[in-house]
Structure formats: structure tokens, C-alpha cells
Amino acid sequence: MKFIKPKDIDNLYETLENGEQQYLLAGGTDINVQINNGTIRDPNIVYISHLKELSGIKEKNDHIYIGSTTSFKDVIESRIIKKYLLLVHNSLQNFASPLIQTSATIGGNIANGSPTADVIPILLVLDAKLIICSKSNTHEVLLKDFFTGYKKNVMKNNELITKIVIDKNAEAKQQTFYKKVGSRNSLAIAKVSVAGVKKVSHEKIENIKIAVGSLTEYPRRLFEVEKYVTGKKLTEIDFEKVEELLSTEITPISDLRSDKEYRYHVCVNLIRTFLNE
């Protein structure tokens, strides 16, 4: 194992240019587990938690910028998040233990790409973007386009997520929804999670976004379900059609925590609850 602590952000970008597979360490709540269980072997570890350019929450013009190494504790307690993004603030109250909240980072939760990641479905329905940087390039990627497979994403070896960007009005004047189902009320890995925002006028759904976790190889939006219900009055929605579309968009699995049939039916019930609220 090689451990590297860049002296500044420029040194970090230089370090990432060597072409080797390297793992970025901030809070370490995911990577330490993977090293201990042998999923990651003989890693090159690059420590980044001390780099101030990668942390903090700022409000600029019409957007909120969250540094990738910002802890979940800082996200939950942020005045800016409480003011503009109550869905984020409220939904993360039961995220892990206080100790993990202090260590775990929002960028790490995204980059690790776990299907059960708590924050990703929430950010998906808020149309979050990621700022991805390397020594020679900076570009934005919509979170919905970031993942390419199980724990795989569009980033190159010399790139990292530096900020998460959310429109300040992403949930303004809309109904929001988040439900995480686990083995207990808190400190649980999600068996199923569903997040949503919708705008209803005269009983008709004008706009809606729904995202799920623990139901596919990575958290994702339910675009076909969204398309079907948009423009319909609540009384016009055929829930058999919703289930039919849902079955094409999610691929739940059976594991030690739950079976696929349970996950599917819980997801159906949560979406029905959200649509009928």
C-alpha cells in the first residue's frame, strides 16, 4: 500500500496524472471497509480531506455548491441547505450514526456508487450536477448521467468530483417525498428508498421526478413512470400501467437483507403513496 498526502490542490492534480489506479480517501467510511474485506488490495491511497478547496457549502447566484469532501454532518447542519433544500436536510436526519455523519462525505457517497447510497436518489430528483476536474480539464456532468454500471462511472483515473451543484429553486413550490425502508428506523442500510418531487395544479401533475435506490445496479430516475403520469389528473392514473412501466425500469435482487419480490412491492406502494399525496 502507498499513502500520498498532496500538499495542495495542484499537487493533487499532478498526483492523479501518473496513470495508476488510485483511491481517494476523505472520510474513509467506505474505502476502509473495502480494504479490510479484501475488495481493494494493495491500493495507492491519496488523502484529500485536508484540501480546503474541496469542502464547504456556498451559495452563488441561483445555485448551491457543495464541496465533495463536505461531511454529512455539515450538510445536515448547513444554514443554506435548511433554507433552500429542506428535502436534503430532512431526508438525511437518519443517515448513519453521528460518528459516521461526521466522517462520511457527500462526494464519497456518490463516487463509491453503492446501489444503497442514501443521498443519490435525493440528489437525482433535484437534478444535481457534478463538477469533475483534472489537471487540464473541468466539466459538468448531470448526476443522472454519471453512473454507467455497478460501481462504475464516467470519470477517468485522473479525475475527481470537486463539487455538487444544485439549483436553489430545485424544490421550490413543489411537494417533496423521501422514504427509506430498512431493518430499523435509523442506522440501517436501505432495502428500498424512493425520493420524489412533484408539482400538482388543479389535481393534475404538471411536473414530477422520481428516483429509487437499492432497486437497480445504481440509484436512478424512473423516466418512463414520470413520462406516463405527467399531465394526468390523479384520478386518471392507471396503477397497473405504473407497475408495468416500473417492472421495466427496476431490477431488484434478493440478498441477505431482503428478497426481490419484497423490494418490488414496497417500491410500488411507496410510489403509489407519493402520487396520491
Side-chain angles (χ1 to χ4, degrees):
M1 179 188 295
K2 183 192 298 183
F3 185 87
I4 303 168
K5 183 179 178 181
K7 62 182 180 180
D8 54 34
I9 193 73
D10 291 331
N11 187 213
L12 169 62
Y13 290 136
E14 289 286 349
T15 300
L16 295 179
E17 289 293 319
N18 68 16
E20 297 179 2
Q21 175 67 60
Q22 300 178 98
Y23 295 90
L24 303 180
L25 172 66
T29 54
D30 285 318
I31 194 171
N32 286 337
V33 172
Q34 295 176 58
I35 292 172
N36 288 336
N37 66 21
T39 304
I40 296 175
R41 298 182 180 181
D42 298 322
N44 292 329
I45 301 295
V46 182
Y47 183 69
I48 61 173
S49 190
H50 62 298
L51 299 173
K52 63 182 184 300
E53 293 90 344
L54 300 178
S55 66
I57 300 170
K58 296 179 181 179
E59 174 186 351
K60 183 178 179 181
N61 298 326
D62 293 327
H63 293 88
I64 295 166
Y65 295 80
I66 307 174
S68 59
T69 63
T70 305
S71 72
F72 277 94
K73 181 178 185 291
D74 287 343
V75 172
I76 293 167
E77 295 181 352
S78 166
R79 174 189 59 80
I80 296 172
I81 298 297
K82 289 179 184 178
K83 181 178 180 181
Y84 294 106
L85 301 173
L86 268 178
L87 175 62
V88 175
H89 171 75
N90 294 336
S91 301
L92 294 178
Q93 293 301 312
N94 290 325
F95 171 80
S97 67
L99 179 62
I100 295 296
Q101 287 182 9
T102 302
S103 302
T105 65
I106 188 168
N109 200 247
I110 295 169
N112 186 51
S114 170
T116 65
D118 285 11
V119 76
I120 298 176
I122 301 164
L123 296 177
L124 281 169
V125 299
L126 297 176
D127 277 334
K129 299 176 183 178
L130 307 177
I131 297 180
I132 296 174
C133 297
S134 66
K135 179 182 177 181
S136 59
N137 187 39
T138 296
H139 60 109
E140 288 188 356
V141 175
L142 284 168
L143 181 56
K144 70 180 181 65
D145 299 325
F146 180 67
F147 298 104
T148 59
Y150 176 69
K151 289 186 174 289
K152 295 181 179 179
N153 59 59
V154 299
M155 286 196 298
K156 300 175 182 177
N157 285 344
N158 66 340
E159 294 181 322
L160 77 156
I161 301 168
T162 58
K163 290 181 176 61
I164 297 92
V165 185
I166 308 171
D167 191 305
K168 286 198 299 190
N169 298 310
E171 62 179 75
K173 298 181 180 179
Q174 298 191 86
Q175 298 175 36
T176 62
F177 179 89
Y178 179 73
K179 183 68 175 178
K180 170 184 170 180
V181 177
S183 300
R184 49 188 184 267
N185 291 332
S186 62
L187 311 186
I189 297 174
K191 294 180 178 181
V192 178
S193 61
V194 176
V197 296
K198 68 176 180 178
K199 183 177 182 181
V200 178
S201 179
H202 305 292
E203 298 186 357
K204 182 180 290 187
I205 296 174
E206 291 188 357
N207 182 55
I208 190 167
K209 298 181 182 72
I210 308 171
V212 297
S214 298
L215 290 158
T216 59
E217 66 272 34
Y218 51 87
R220 65 175 60 180
R221 288 266 301 275
L222 301 179
F223 291 107
E224 294 303 317
V225 173
E226 293 173 2
K227 183 178 178 181
Y228 169 69
V229 300
T230 299
K232 288 183 172 58
K233 290 186 176 181
L234 302 179
T235 55
E236 296 173 341
I237 296 174
D238 180 351
F239 281 96
E240 289 187 2
K241 179 65 173 178
V242 171
E243 287 195 40
E244 177 186 331
L245 293 170
L246 186 62
S247 67
T248 68
E249 294 198 271
I250 66 172
T251 54
I253 63 168
S254 296
D255 59 20
L256 293 174
R257 290 179 294 112
S258 195
D259 61 53
K260 61 183 180 181
E261 289 81 11
Y262 172 83
R263 284 188 164 103
Y264 176 78
H265 288 297
V266 169
C267 181
V268 169
N269 289 336
L270 290 177
I271 291 173
R272 183 188 291 264
T273 298
F274 173 49
L275 292 176
N276 283 326
E277 277 188 345

